[in-house]
Amino acid sequence: MKGADAKGKIHTPSGGSREGQFPSRIPRCCYDSRGESARCPFPVQTRQSGRVSCQAPAPSWTLPPAPRCPGMACGSMDSRAWAPLTRSPGHPGATECGRALRGTPGRRTRKDWSCWLIVASLVGAFGSSFLYGYNLSVVNAPTLYIKSFYNESWERRHGHPIDQDTLTLLWSVTVSIFAIGGLVGTLLVKLIGKVLGRKHTLLVNNGFAISAALLMACSLQAGAFEMLIVGRFIMGVDGGIALSALPMYLNEISPKAIRGSLGQVTAIFICVGVFVGQLLGLPELLGKESTWPYLFGVIAVPALVQLATLPFLPESPRYLLFEKHDQAGAEKAFRTFLGKEDVSREVEEVLAESRLQRNIHLVSVLELLRSPFVRWQVITVVVTMASYQLCGLNAIWFYTNSIFGKAGVPPEKIPYITLSTGGIETLAAIFSGLVIERLGRRPLLMGGFGLMALFFGILTATLTLQDHAPWIPYLSIVCILAIIASFCSGPGGIPFILTGEFFQQPQRPAAFIIAGTVNWLSNFAVGLLFPFIQKSLDTYCFLVFAAICLTGAIYFYFVLPETKNRTHVEISQAFAKRNKAYPPEENTDSSVSDNKVARRPEQDSASTLDNYVKNGIV
């Protein structure tokens, strides 16, 4: 080996040397990424002239019983590395190194959350997912005023009032065209992202939001209801791009230890946007006949904030390294987002993934669908996104006002009580962001859908029996709030995180196109079919949603692996057994040799360490 005598001498300043079968390689956790200078657990400073020099005054060395390094605290270490030598308690510095070695692998620390990482997530989500949530709820409060505006515009042009069927059609188009725009935006993400990158895609997307805000805010003064419909379509395009580009950006800038928590920022700001839309729609604020256009003008504010701040933040380092081959720019971005100077470990991790896929171009949607290596990843994303939209949360909003009314809430107070649903959404999403790195994605997703199925069943019973006792409508209210909390604590944000985690860099844009297409088509299908389902089944329609939630929870139990604190390569390997196919790019010489080392029995390592003890090295 390099840096040791053939017989492995350990030289100390006191002049003594011990000779024996020194381990065939220095423990990896004791050297930095370049393997030239030692860092821990003992003060070996240099390797020179075939010797390992110890700067300490003749310490007594001991070997721990297990052959694995106890953690990542002492540098880069994996399951194939030898256990480091540890000094006796009386040796200088033993306490400090001992504290480092007792660290928990992959545990989230404050150092993971740098200032610029927090700023990037907040600014990115405020100008993207916040607007998506805001546009979901902002049309509810001024519904009567918008229909009146349609009627007045029609009568001014044609000389007679609009008939009821035409008015219903125009309103349905106004609401549902948002989903059509979202589908178009999703299909544009790959083209725009390939040319501009993640950050600049978000910046360009602000142009859609600002133009849509101007069209909708000026529609009343112009007397053209078409401006409102076109504005809703453009806002849908903005939402489609945002819900693909933002999760990709957050996924690629975050350390894997906090990738779930940072990704949950997308869901938190969707819930905050819904709540703000409900709040501003109150009659005391902007929910009046004279001020409802300003509800749509507010959309420009988050877009302008993001447009003014995001240019000062770096591009995704993974995008710079993979697609632009700009290692210097990637290192600078890593330093900014991680808040530390030494980013060699992160760069090497990305470069290792890049080497495995050096012959792979940016994958198209058709190629991704045909690839046997990601078959179950694609199926899981489709099931997750379909469950996300078809789980019945939209049906809850349909029944909320009537349930509150039957519980005795005065009609004029119902908008204020409805704010509680937005508050529950936000709190549940924040809770999910705090615990996702402790509990994992899988338990939150299964638990969320399972609880929704349970409460949907109870809600069906309470709605059927609500006239039999005065307290039953209050139980219905509790069920509604429980369903909302269950959704936002897991299913509300994790689907976007999983889409970014399941796929490696060349596959990710195509994967988000598939996920976004399923998301928006399911959204459109719910808006189109739910009135007919509700008319046919009445309160029993919730049993349909309970069955969907239960099916989703069962699927995740049997298929979904835990992705917490795993690299993208490790997640791909977790699916490889189910896919029954291993990507050919992973069969490189280096990876094969690593796999052989990884499969080396621990018994051999332990016996080798026992030999060191018998030969008097310890």
Side-chain angles (χ1 to χ4, degrees):
M1 60 168 273
K2 296 180 180 179
D5 291 335
K7 294 187 177 180
K9 293 183 179 180
I10 302 179
H11 301 267
T12 64
S14 60
S17 64
R18 297 171 187 174
E19 189 172 314
Q21 296 177 350
F22 193 73
S24 61
R25 53 190 174 130
I26 298 299
R28 289 179 62 186
C29 70
C30 299
Y31 293 93
D32 66 5
S33 58
R34 294 171 298 280
E36 294 301 327
S37 61
R39 294 193 285 184
C40 74
F42 45 91
V44 179
Q45 297 299 327
T46 58
R47 296 186 296 171
Q48 51 187 332
S49 66
R51 301 190 308 172
V52 179
S53 301
C54 179
Q55 305 287 324
S60 58
W61 303 103
T62 60
L63 284 170
R68 292 188 58 172
C69 183
M72 305 293 291
C74 295
S76 175
M77 179 67 184
D78 62 9
S79 60
R80 301 184 297 275
W82 291 84
L85 297 171
T86 58
R87 359 176 141 62
S88 59
H91 190 273
T95 305
E96 181 179 354
C97 189
R99 281 196 300 266
L101 288 173
R102 284 193 295 268
T104 303
R107 183 159 184 163
R108 181 175 54 183
T109 61
R110 292 182 181 179
K111 293 181 180 179
D112 293 323
W113 292 93
S114 70
C115 175
W116 288 110
L117 198 60
I118 295 174
V119 170
S121 61
L122 295 181
V123 170
F126 183 58
S128 301
S129 59
F130 173 87
L131 289 180
Y132 169 75
Y134 182 82
N135 279 278
L136 289 179
S137 63
V138 73
V139 294
N140 294 333
T143 297
L144 295 177
Y145 304 133
I146 293 175
K147 288 182 176 180
S148 176
F149 165 58
Y150 283 1
N151 187 37
E152 292 174 2
S153 300
W154 186 276
E155 187 173 5
R156 190 183 311 111
R157 295 179 189 179
H158 301 90
H160 59 84
I162 191 172
D163 62 90
Q164 193 63 34
D165 292 337
T166 306
L167 180 61
T168 302
L169 176 63
L170 285 175
W171 177 247
S172 299
V173 169
T174 304
V175 174
S176 60
I177 204 170
F178 180 71
I180 301 299
L183 179 59
V184 173
T186 298
L187 298 176
L188 291 175
V189 166
K190 184 180 178 182
L191 178 63
I192 300 176
K194 182 179 179 180
V195 177
L196 300 179
R198 315 296 189 241
K199 184 184 81 170
H200 289 92
T201 297
L202 292 174
L203 287 172
V204 169
N205 198 33
N206 291 313
F208 291 108
I210 294 171
S211 59
L214 293 175
L215 282 171
M216 293 187 288
C218 298
S219 60
L220 180 62
Q221 291 184 346
F225 60 81
E226 296 87 354
M227 293 174 62
L228 187 60
I229 296 175
V230 172
R232 285 281 294 175
F233 173 79
I234 297 175
M235 204 61 234
V237 174
D238 174 271
I241 294 174
L243 291 187
S244 296
L246 177 65
M248 273 195 286
Y249 184 62
L250 295 182
N251 180 278
E252 293 175 6
I253 68 174
S254 59
K256 65 180 181 180
I258 60 169
R259 193 171 55 212
S261 297
L262 199 70
Q264 197 68 3
V265 172
T266 301
I268 292 173
F269 271 80
I270 290 175
C271 298
V272 172
V274 170
F275 179 75
V276 172
Q278 294 172 339
L279 182 65
L280 294 181
L282 294 175
E284 290 80 5
L285 297 176
L286 299 178
K288 295 179 287 193
E289 187 172 8
S290 59
T291 58
W292 68 261
Y294 297 113
L295 282 171
F296 299 100
V298 168
I299 292 171
V301 176
L304 290 173
V305 170
Q306 188 182 84
L307 200 59
T309 54
L310 200 59
F312 298 100
L313 297 172
E315 177 59 271
S316 160
R318 297 179 69 89
Y319 170 80
L320 292 173
L321 208 53
F322 264 91
E323 300 182 31
K324 293 300 181 182
H325 309 291
D326 181 8
Q327 184 167 342
E331 290 178 355
K332 183 179 179 181
F334 269 128
R335 291 190 192 99
T336 301
F337 285 130
L338 302 182
K340 61 181 183 180
E341 287 299 318
D342 184 12
V343 295
S344 56
R345 180 179 171 186
E346 287 76 13
V347 173
E348 285 178 4
E349 181 180 310
V350 179
L351 285 175
E353 183 180 343
S354 177
R355 284 192 293 269
L356 292 177
Q357 304 177 46
R358 59 184 177 271
N359 297 322
I360 297 180
H361 61 282
L362 205 60
V363 177
S364 68
V365 173
L366 194 58
E367 289 172 332
L368 192 65
L369 291 173
R370 289 177 174 175
S371 174
F373 311 117
V374 292
R375 181 183 295 116
W376 280 98
Q377 288 96 312
V378 172
I379 293 173
T380 303
V381 163
V382 170
V383 171
T384 305
M385 280 298 178
S387 302
Y388 170 76
Q389 285 291 349
L390 301 178
C391 65
L393 196 70
N394 292 336
I396 289 295
W397 303 119
F398 182 86
Y399 276 92
T400 299
N401 289 351
S402 62
I403 291 174
F404 285 163
K406 289 184 178 181
V409 178
E412 64 275 8
K413 300 294 183 183
I414 288 179
Y416 304 95
I417 304 299
T418 304
L419 283 176
S420 64
T421 60
I424 291 291
E425 274 190 307
T426 304
L427 292 176
I430 294 173
F431 166 79
S432 178
L434 294 175
V435 303
I436 189 172
E437 294 299 346
R438 294 179 181 271
L439 300 180
R441 286 71 156 149
R442 192 168 177 266
L444 288 176
L445 206 55
M446 290 189 304
F449 279 122
L451 288 175
M452 288 181 73
L454 173 65
F455 288 117
F456 270 131
I458 298 175
L459 182 61
T460 301
T462 57
L463 290 177
T464 305
L465 304 174
Q466 62 185 354
D467 295 329
H468 290 69
W471 54 269
I472 293 182
Y474 293 98
L475 184 58
S476 299
I477 294 176
V478 172
C479 287
I480 285 177
L481 297 179
I483 289 170
I484 293 172
S486 301
F487 175 81
C488 293
S489 63
I494 293 178
F496 300 102
I497 299 173
L498 292 181
T499 305
E501 290 181 331
F502 281 173
F503 300 93
Q504 299 185 31
Q505 193 78 14
Q507 305 161 340
R508 199 168 292 133
F512 271 97
I513 290 177
I514 295 173
T517 301
V518 174
N519 178 34
W520 291 102
L521 286 179
S522 300
N523 187 313
F524 182 75
V526 168
L528 185 65
L529 299 177
F530 175 71
F532 300 99
I533 296 174
Q534 189 272 331
K535 186 177 180 180
S536 302
L537 300 178
D538 197 27
T539 56
Y540 293 99
C541 68
F542 289 112
L543 293 179
V544 176
F545 302 122
I548 293 173
C549 292
L550 185 60
T551 302
I554 294 173
Y555 176 87
F556 298 133
Y557 177 80
F558 286 105
V559 176
L560 181 66
E562 181 54 67
T563 62
K564 179 185 69 173
N565 202 30
R566 283 184 167 186
T567 65
H568 297 94
V569 175
E570 290 170 342
I571 295 169
S572 297
Q573 292 171 349
F575 274 104
K577 183 177 180 180
R578 187 173 294 277
N579 289 326
K580 296 181 180 178
Y582 289 84
E585 65 271 12
E586 292 187 9
N587 295 329
T588 59
D589 294 339
S590 61
S591 62
V592 171
S593 62
D594 285 346
N595 288 337
K596 290 181 180 177
V597 175
R599 290 193 293 269
R600 182 178 299 165
E602 291 189 7
Q603 181 179 349
D604 296 344
S605 300
S607 62
T608 305
L609 292 173
D610 290 339
N611 290 334
Y612 298 152
V613 176
K614 292 176 182 178
N615 289 322
I617 297 179
V618 181

